[in-house]
Amino acid sequence: MSPPVVPVISQAPSATDPAVYAEYESKWPTYPTDAQGWLERAREVAAVLSVDVAAREKANKSPKAEVALLKHSGLLKVLGPKKYGGGEQPWSVGYKVIREVAKGDGSIGMLLGYHLLWSRTAHVVGNDEQAERFQKLIVENNYYVGGAVNPRDNDLKITYDDSNITYNGFKNFTTGAAVSDLIVLEGAIHDRPEEHIFAIVPTAQAGIQFNYNWDNVGLRLTESGSAKIEGISAPWADALGWDAATKKPDPAVLGIAFPALLLPTNFYLGIALGALDFAKKYTTTNTRAWPYGGDNKEKATDEFYILSTYGNFFAHLRAAEALTDQAGAEADRIYGTYQDNRAAFPIEERGEWAELVASVKVVTTDVGLRVTAGVFEVTGARATAGKVGLDRFWRDIRTHTLHDPVAYKNRELGRYVLLGEHPEPTWYT
């Protein structure tokens, strides 16, 4: 039986209006200059987004306004070189910025995180010239970068001639791409399917057609739906990590498995922290004490089980933050040490890093799901009303954690503990 035909359209059926946040372009005329300033800017963005997040995510419109807000804030540039107008902050600060935005709106925290990942693609799979050229293009123009690179999909097919590579195919997941200025594409060469090429191309092309069909239970404002790619070309000079003269991959770049990043764990953590803060405000203003417990209290905040539950959630989230920050500091060390000399990166050290990332993924998934579901126990039945919006936190974490099942991270860590084995480098390690 043939798969159902998905109608491809080139313009969002409905989108949020960037004019809603136009005032912030003048409110933030300059960018922060240090780590604390960038974190404070992220908190300001989260505060803006949190005002109507429940209504926006229910409406499920294409988040053009929200991306405009990120542009006004400068957060898209937090990692970029200062010489091009960026913040030149390390990944550890970038992770915390993602976390702060996700506290207010998990979808937009994810969009920011994926942009920071895709905007640095050339630093991971490109050569030095490509990395520099694309940073200049992205940061100077304040571009938002999306991607069509989900490894669970079939690869795009690449044909080529002496001048260009050309992508064709279909991708089921394209987070952020429909609201992007540039899109990262990845595909396999048609006559050498074991060889893959990444390229960064302009999004506004007739051959890139989005379906606008992301209508999942969580992360509803991430534009993670499918797209059709037809006849999209890039010059060989833009084939990341490839030699444009020989049309061959550069082993000094692509022959080295560089580290996985801590992207999802930080917006998981931010969403869980946001849920706790949201629930706290609700409990202190709306939740009533239970009158049939035998040890009745006047206020919900005097209830033993409510105090105990909040304390337990707080302790576990602090522990998750500490582990995540430890991994962020290690990311800074690895990139600072090996970014300019990838061949010197020991495979054993990469393995240790992969296990640290896996540990963070396990902890933030477990704690995030437990907290975002458990907050209903300390807010009460009225907190389940749709207008409250407390359910969005669990829906957001549950949606993304299914994309990289944590059971396999537990198994991976078990093999590391019992057998001393490091994982083979994959898309997910």
Side-chain angles (χ1 to χ4, degrees):
M1 180 181 295
S2 300
V5 176
V6 178
V8 178
I9 55 180
S10 58
Q11 188 172 358
S14 60
T16 53
D17 184 359
V20 172
Y21 299 125
E23 66 183 280
Y24 292 95
E25 185 172 13
S26 58
K27 181 176 180 179
W28 294 318
T30 60
Y31 297 148
T33 57
D34 58 18
Q36 287 306 311
W38 283 104
L39 294 177
E40 181 56 34
R41 178 63 55 84
R43 294 184 191 107
E44 292 172 1
V45 170
V48 173
L49 293 169
S50 67
V51 171
D52 60 350
V53 58
R56 286 187 296 102
E57 77 109 38
K58 185 176 181 180
N60 196 29
K61 294 183 178 181
S62 192
K64 290 186 177 181
E66 291 83 347
V67 170
L69 180 68
L70 292 177
K71 289 185 175 186
H72 296 331
S73 72
L75 294 182
L76 299 184
K77 301 184 178 188
V78 63
L79 302 178
K82 287 184 178 179
K83 62 183 176 182
Y84 300 136
E88 205 166 305
Q89 296 297 308
W91 267 108
S92 58
V93 174
Y95 294 143
K96 291 178 181 178
V97 164
I98 295 166
R99 196 185 307 170
E100 291 296 333
V101 173
K103 290 178 183 179
D105 187 326
S107 289
I108 309 309
M110 179 176 166
L111 283 181
L112 174 60
Y114 272 59
H115 159 81
L116 294 180
L117 171 65
W118 296 131
S119 69
R120 305 289 283 189
T121 301
H123 282 76
V124 178
V125 296
N127 59 40
D128 292 343
E129 183 276 330
Q130 291 168 331
E132 191 70 16
R133 176 158 51 89
F134 278 104
Q135 275 299 282
K136 185 176 190 297
L137 174 68
I138 292 166
V139 178
E140 283 189 346
N141 291 284
N142 201 17
Y143 281 155
Y144 179 82
V145 185
V149 190
N150 188 282
R152 296 294 305 278
D153 277 348
N154 291 327
D155 290 307
L156 298 176
K157 297 297 185 290
I158 298 175
T159 54
Y160 60 93
D161 56 27
D162 287 341
S163 301
N164 298 307
I165 57 174
T166 300
Y167 293 86
N168 285 278
F170 183 86
K171 301 297 285 187
N172 282 293
F173 301 104
T174 60
T175 295
V179 289
S180 69
D181 302 295
L182 300 173
I183 182 173
V184 179
L185 300 179
E186 178 273 338
I189 298 177
H190 74 101
D191 56 353
R192 304 197 302 274
E194 73 282 359
E195 294 186 332
H196 296 247
I197 305 178
F198 284 81
I200 303 173
V201 302
T203 306
Q205 301 187 58
I208 301 177
Q209 301 177 51
F210 298 102
N211 295 318
Y212 298 98
N213 57 350
W214 181 253
D215 188 19
N216 289 38
V217 298
L219 297 170
R220 290 170 56 77
L221 300 181
T222 59
E223 279 291 20
S224 293
S226 59
K228 187 176 182 180
I229 310 296
E230 286 188 320
I232 299 300
S233 296
W236 273 105
D238 290 353
L240 299 180
W242 283 62
D243 187 311
T246 64
K247 314 295 190 291
K248 296 290 185 182
D250 183 351
V253 177
L254 296 177
I256 301 163
F258 215 52
L261 294 177
L262 285 161
L263 172 62
T265 58
N266 278 277
F267 63 77
Y268 296 173
L269 185 54
I271 292 167
L273 289 164
L276 189 71
D277 185 63
F278 188 96
K280 177 183 71 174
K281 293 173 182 175
Y282 189 93
T283 296
T284 55
T285 57
N286 291 281
T287 302
R288 297 176 294 179
W290 184 248
Y292 307 111
D295 182 24
N296 299 344
K297 306 295 183 183
E298 290 187 7
K299 298 183 296 182
T301 51
D302 294 329
E303 293 272 17
F304 175 87
Y305 83 91
I306 288 179
L307 295 170
S308 174
T309 301
Y310 271 108
N312 187 269
F313 287 169
F314 178 71
H316 281 81
L317 285 170
R318 291 195 73 174
E321 276 195 290
L323 181 61
T324 305
D325 288 344
Q326 176 189 342
E330 181 65 1
D332 288 350
R333 186 193 69 80
I334 290 172
Y335 274 82
T337 303
Y338 300 113
Q339 177 69 64
D340 297 326
N341 186 16
R342 302 180 199 185
F345 187 45
I347 190 64
E348 296 82 6
E349 196 168 327
R350 191 208 181 278
E352 293 294 325
W353 163 248
E355 301 310 348
L356 179 56
V357 172
S359 297
V360 177
K361 180 71 183 292
V362 168
V363 169
T364 55
T365 297
D366 289 352
V367 173
L369 289 172
R370 179 168 173 259
V371 169
T372 55
V375 288
F376 287 99
E377 299 173 12
V378 290
T379 51
R382 291 183 299 172
T384 63
K387 65 181 180 181
V388 175
L390 184 57
D391 59 315
R392 65 185 168 86
F393 298 99
W394 179 85
R395 289 189 285 104
D396 285 350
I397 290 185
R398 180 70 283 177
T399 296
H400 199 277
T401 52
L402 295 172
H403 287 70
D404 182 13
V406 75
Y408 291 93
K409 298 300 181 190
N410 284 322
R411 183 186 67 176
E412 177 185 306
L413 289 165
R415 297 187 71 88
Y416 171 68
V417 172
L418 289 177
L419 306 174
E421 294 181 3
H422 291 133
E424 291 294 323
T426 72
W427 287 93
Y428 286 98
T429 57

